[in-house]
Amino acid sequence: MPNVTTDFNDRTIEYEQLLSDFKALLKKNSLKFTIQREVILETLYNSDEHLTPESLHHLLQEKFPDLKTGIATVYRTLSLLEDSSMVTSLSFGAQGKKYELGAKNHHDHLICTECGNITEFVDEQIEDRQHFIAKELGFLMKDHSMQIYGICSNCQK
Amino acid sequence: MPNVTTDFNDRTIEYEQLLSDFKALLKKNSLKFTIQREVILETLYNSDEHLTPESLHHLLQEKFPDLKTGIATVYRTLSLLEDSSMVTSLSFGAQGKKYELGAKNHHDHLICTECGNITEFVDEQIEDRQHFIAKELGFLMKDHSMQIYGICSNCQK
DNA sequence: GTCGCTGCAAAGTCTTTGCAGAGAG
DNA sequence: CTCTCTGCAAAGACTTTGCAGCGAC
């Protein structure tokens, strides 16, 4: 199993750590560590995108064709991981949920409505403020998404 | 609750204005102004909540039982309104989308991933910061959307 | 060996589509 | 009149569940 970090930033944790967290979680709940659960975690870890259950299932069929992992197992494992906060799910307005590992870093998007260019950014002040607001309103904040729409400097010319 | 407010009930557009916008939109696209489309717009306007297609359909059956508006028409009209940016939709999980009129005042959303409850808020500090960031990165900001996902106080119990 | 896990297929949900008659322009 | 809309029901898309055998512990 590769012991690598992604090139995102220092908030990303290593796979070995993630895997042992997962095993600890399973043990604590008298659940079993199966090869299907392992490859699902690994595939989520190695993906830079938000995955739908279907796209994750597809990836598994490509990378581990011998396992013949069923879509039902993908759904069941994602629910398990989400319930234990190891992955978060987002719905972006389209149909269905998308999942990503909670261990990855977060960023927001500036989207140019003219050329479609997307700039990523993270702003600590906004991040802090979001936590504050969630707390004020009694929410246990899990994740957030923010998009700013506008016209980029190039397109303003 | 310092700078956070959930007071969002001021309408930016009156219903008459909204209705004539809707009629203009229909005319422009050679579509017809039907009683079903009207009551759907009106019901959205008079609701302070985010409505699912199903809950909107329910409201229509209560308020306009004689029309017997079908659920398919609700879906079709919501799609039409969304495509033309008169309503916006939010997704909060596997249980479908919720819709609201775009004509209402700007606000952001806190979405409970357990029960789907949506709380609205406006925070000046974040609004200001978004403008600042857009400016810093050379964007002419037009709009933005922000969703915080978490677990509401009720569901934490 | 026990008991949870898995794949499969069937069953649920939610949403869209085909169609023939109704109705707006 | 013409051509779009509508309600209905069937079809589709997505997700969950029941079950019998498999496999981790």
Side-chain angles (χ1 to χ4, degrees), chain B residues 17 46 49 57 66 80 83 94 101 104 115 123 129 147:
Chain B
Q17 177 63 48
N46 287 322
E49 305 195 6
H57 184 227
D66 296 343
L80 169 66
D83 287 347
L101 270 184
K104 296 186 178 177
C115 67
D123 183 71
R129 191 70 187 166
Q147 301 82 237

Side-chain angles (χ1 to χ4, degrees), chain A residues 11 106 108 122-136 141 144 146, chain B residues 4 121 123 125-126 129 146 148:
Chain A
R11 288 173 64 184
H106 151 82
D108 295 314
V122 176
D123 184 72
E124 280 308 320
Q125 207 165 310
I126 288 181
E127 301 293 315
D128 291 348
R129 192 69 189 163
Q130 287 172 325
H131 278 93
F132 174 77
I133 289 166
K135 199 172 169 186
E136 282 292 308
M141 175 170 159
H144 71 266
M146 184 173 106
Chain B
V4 182
F121 68 93
D123 183 71
Q125 207 165 310
I126 286 181
R129 191 70 187 166
M146 184 173 106
I148 297 179

Side-chain angles (χ1 to χ4, degrees), chain A residues 28-89:
Chain A
K28 187 181 155 207
N29 292 285
S30 306
L31 302 175
K32 291 174 179 176
F33 180 71
T34 64
I35 184 66
Q36 286 87 351
R37 285 173 175 168
E38 177 170 18
V39 297
I40 287 171
L41 187 73
E42 185 192 328
T43 303
L44 280 169
Y45 179 80
N46 287 322
S47 170
D48 288 340
E49 307 189 9
H50 289 70
L51 297 174
T52 61
E54 192 188 3
S55 61
L56 177 52
H57 184 227
H58 234 258
L59 276 177
L60 294 175
Q61 288 183 319
E62 277 174 20
K63 291 176 58 183
F64 309 95
D66 297 343
L67 281 180
K68 294 179 174 47
T69 309
I71 188 75
T73 296
V74 173
Y75 276 104
R76 284 183 286 226
T77 303
L78 285 173
S79 294
L80 168 65
L81 288 168
E82 188 175 17
D83 287 347
S84 53
S85 300
M86 289 190 70
V87 305
T88 53
S89 68

Side-chain angles (χ1 to χ4, degrees), chain B residues 30-91:
Chain B
S30 306
L31 302 174
K32 292 176 177 175
F33 180 71
T34 64
I35 184 68
Q36 287 86 351
R37 283 174 176 167
E38 176 169 18
V39 298
I40 286 172
L41 187 73
E42 184 191 326
T43 303
L44 280 168
Y45 180 79
N46 287 322
S47 171
D48 287 338
E49 305 195 6
H50 295 70
L51 297 174
T52 61
E54 192 189 3
S55 60
L56 177 51
H57 184 227
H58 245 253
L59 276 178
L60 295 175
Q61 288 183 320
E62 278 175 20
K63 291 176 59 183
F64 308 95
D66 296 343
L67 281 180
K68 293 179 175 46
T69 310
I71 187 77
T73 296
V74 173
Y75 275 104
R76 283 183 286 225
T77 303
L78 285 172
S79 294
L80 169 66
L81 289 168
E82 188 175 17
D83 287 347
S84 51
S85 301
M86 290 191 67
V87 305
T88 53
S89 67
L90 289 175
S91 310

